[in-house]
Amino acid sequence: MTSEWNHFALGEITELVIDYRGKTPKKLGGDWCKQGYRALSAKNIKTGRIVQAETIRYIDESLYRKWMKDEVQRGDILITSEAPFGQIFFWDSDEKIVLSQRLFCVRIKPEYDARFIYYYMTTPEFQSELDGRATGTTVIGLRQPELMKCIIRCPEIQEQKVIAAILSSIDAKIIANEKVNDNLQQQAFSVFDNLIANAENNDYTVSDYAFLNPKRTLAKNQVARSIDMSQLSTSGAFPSGWEMKPFNGGMRFTNGDTLLARITPCLENGKTAFIDFLDDGEVAFGSTEYIVLAPKNDTPPEMLYCLARYPAFVDYAVKNMNGSSGRQRVSAETVGQYRLPLFDKHSLVLFKEVVSPMFLKMRYNSLENMRLAELRDALLPKLMSGEIDVSAVQL
């Protein structure tokens, strides 16, 4: 049990804190560039993942040397100080990166297992202590001295390593599945590019191939799967999950639909989803900030998903957004007017034959990742409380 574990303030087991939150290229006499060293900020870190990769900026070699007097190393832990607050990421790479806005880096002393400490930081117990030490009203943040006071509870080093190995093996499988899905998705996009390139005209529109926001029946307060915008990835084809909630309004969708975020910055960032995991006849729902594209006639549903990620289409949608600068949207009517070639039936059949197996494999991997994440999240508190005894396990 954790009552038998050692208790330390984070500062006691920390070898180095890298904190360059006040630095900017301008202050160092430089500027951002198009390639070079990636500069990660708090908005790029969500516990266990790097997100919004398309927003990451770069600096050159000279500016990197001025900025990163202490360099991030494999095994370091990144922690967001605010906006968002308390997100944790284990840096498991030899890539040299820049710590930009609202981001700490903590290096754990070698006599402790850094990966175990990372997982401990993701527990509700540690997160609750972070919340208790944070300050601010509109923007909640954490000062470095308060972070260093947070308590870490840990067993002997062998048990730390076993617990970390169990949890990291699950995360490694999730990452492997994500890489396979990314590769399959890029292949599908390439097939779609060829479909576009081999067509000779632009006589059709999206509305000729898809129903935009089709009307579907779902009774008020009927419990159904709710897919929140936060569960849409900027890079993955399938949502990361859903919740069972009573329906009280929103867009309704079913298998074969593509969800397209129509609001800034989600549209620009590529938030989309392909729906292919509902039970027969099941209708799910989500935000009115989605545009739902449902296939018409013989249109392969996968084609509409590829279209939603097609750069020329995204540029068109972004350029035709309306509203205030902070809350712009594109309408379903405008999306429906985007011009497309008239694809012959044979080309669409070949497209579906090639990409459907890719989407089936992506679906399998995505559902497996949901189950793995549930397993990891169920094991985490049991391992960290000592409820599961791993003291006899040998690596």
Side-chain angles (χ1 to χ4, degrees):
M1 302 295 290
T2 53
S3 59
E4 302 170 357
W5 290 7
N6 296 315
H7 297 190
F8 302 98
L10 179 58
E12 294 181 72
I13 64 172
T14 294
E15 181 178 274
L16 176 69
V17 179
I18 306 176
D19 182 0
Y20 296 145
R21 290 173 297 156
K23 290 188 177 182
T24 66
K26 296 293 185 185
K27 290 180 180 178
L28 295 173
D31 205 348
W32 303 111
C33 56
K34 292 185 178 180
Q35 58 184 2
Y37 296 90
R38 293 196 296 170
L40 301 185
S41 71
K43 68 180 179 182
N44 301 124
I45 301 298
K46 188 171 184 179
T47 295
R49 290 187 292 149
I50 291 180
V51 296
Q52 299 188 44
E54 69 285 345
T55 69
I56 296 174
R57 294 189 283 187
Y58 298 84
I59 64 172
D60 63 18
E61 175 79 21
S62 175
L63 193 53
Y64 175 82
R65 295 302 168 195
K66 292 180 182 178
W67 193 317
M68 296 300 295
K69 298 299 184 183
D70 291 307
E71 297 183 320
V72 176
Q73 298 178 4
R74 184 187 292 270
D76 288 349
I77 301 170
L78 309 184
I79 306 170
T80 63
S81 63
E82 63 180 39
F85 160 68
Q87 301 294 308
I88 317 288
F89 186 79
F90 185 82
W91 189 251
D92 196 16
S93 170
D94 293 321
E95 177 191 357
K96 294 182 181 298
I97 58 167
V98 175
L99 291 185
S100 190
Q101 297 176 336
R102 309 182 304 280
L103 203 57
F104 296 115
C105 174
V106 172
R107 185 167 303 151
I108 301 301
K109 291 179 179 178
E111 56 264 38
Y112 303 92
D113 188 278
R115 201 179 290 270
F116 170 87
I117 303 302
Y118 156 72
Y119 282 115
Y120 187 85
M121 288 180 177
T122 69
T123 63
E125 183 177 8
F126 187 84
Q127 288 289 312
S128 178
E129 185 168 5
L130 286 182
D131 291 340
R133 294 184 179 278
T135 58
T137 52
T138 304
V139 177
I140 305 298
L142 186 70
R143 295 169 52 247
Q144 185 190 136
E146 292 302 311
L147 172 64
M148 291 296 104
K149 294 176 184 176
C150 291
I151 298 299
I152 299 288
R153 309 174 195 278
C154 55
E156 296 302 315
I157 184 63
Q158 180 61 25
E159 287 186 55
Q160 292 178 41
K161 290 181 179 296
V162 171
I163 291 172
I166 293 170
L167 296 171
S168 61
S169 66
I170 298 173
D171 278 335
K173 177 56 177 172
I174 291 174
I175 292 170
N177 283 343
E178 288 175 345
K179 288 180 178 179
V180 169
N181 278 10
D182 182 64
N183 181 270
L184 290 170
Q185 190 170 209
Q186 295 305 317
Q187 291 182 52
F189 293 158
S190 178
V191 177
F192 179 76
D193 289 344
N194 288 334
L195 181 69
I196 293 282
N198 292 328
E200 296 180 353
N201 56 62
N202 282 330
D203 294 337
Y204 265 42
T205 66
V206 171
S207 293
D208 291 309
Y209 292 103
F211 297 103
L212 281 301
N213 296 343
K215 301 296 183 183
R216 296 188 176 114
T217 301
L218 191 61
K220 187 174 182 179
N221 294 323
Q222 179 179 340
V223 176
R225 302 193 208 201
S226 170
I227 299 179
D228 186 79
M229 192 74 73
S230 65
Q231 293 163 323
L232 267 63
S233 168
T234 59
S235 58
F238 295 87
S240 61
W242 55 76
E243 293 183 69
M244 300 303 293
K245 289 184 177 181
F247 174 69
N248 193 29
M251 304 305 301
R252 286 152 284 190
F253 33 82
T254 191
N255 286 340
D257 286 350
T258 289
L259 308 186
L260 171 68
R262 72 186 188 103
I263 190 170
T264 189
C266 299
L267 175 61
E268 301 96 307
N269 292 344
K271 282 214 169 190
T272 50
F274 186 73
I275 306 301
D276 189 29
F277 49 80
L278 303 177
D279 297 331
D280 288 344
E282 186 178 4
V283 178
F285 71 97
S287 169
T288 56
E289 301 296 1
Y290 295 129
I291 293 176
V292 179
L293 288 78
K296 276 185 178 179
N297 304 321
D298 296 324
T299 302
E302 299 89 350
M303 189 194 89
L304 297 179
Y305 175 78
C306 292
L307 171 66
R309 308 280 300 188
Y310 188 54
F313 171 80
V314 175
D315 288 345
Y316 164 85
V318 170
K319 289 175 182 176
N320 284 280
M321 298 178 86
N322 292 303
S324 64
S325 58
R327 207 65 173 169
Q328 292 185 309
R329 297 172 175 83
V330 65
S331 69
E333 292 76 12
T334 299
V335 166
Q337 294 168 12
Y338 180 77
R339 302 200 70 80
L340 286 170
L342 172 58
F343 301 117
D344 64 81
K345 187 173 182 179
H346 179 65
S347 296
L348 292 180
V349 169
L350 288 177
F351 175 86
K352 186 169 182 62
E353 287 179 352
V354 173
V355 302
S356 287
M358 299 177 185
F359 275 73
L360 285 174
K361 177 60 176 174
M362 286 191 286
R363 174 180 179 270
Y364 174 84
N365 287 344
S366 296
L367 291 174
E368 183 179 44
N369 278 1
M370 290 182 198
R371 292 190 290 268
L372 288 169
E374 289 172 358
L375 173 62
R376 179 200 60 210
D377 294 344
L379 283 175
L380 181 66
K382 295 180 183 297
L383 289 168
M384 293 300 178
S385 67
E387 182 178 339
I388 298 177
D389 183 9
V390 300
S391 58
V393 177
Q394 298 295 318
L395 292 179

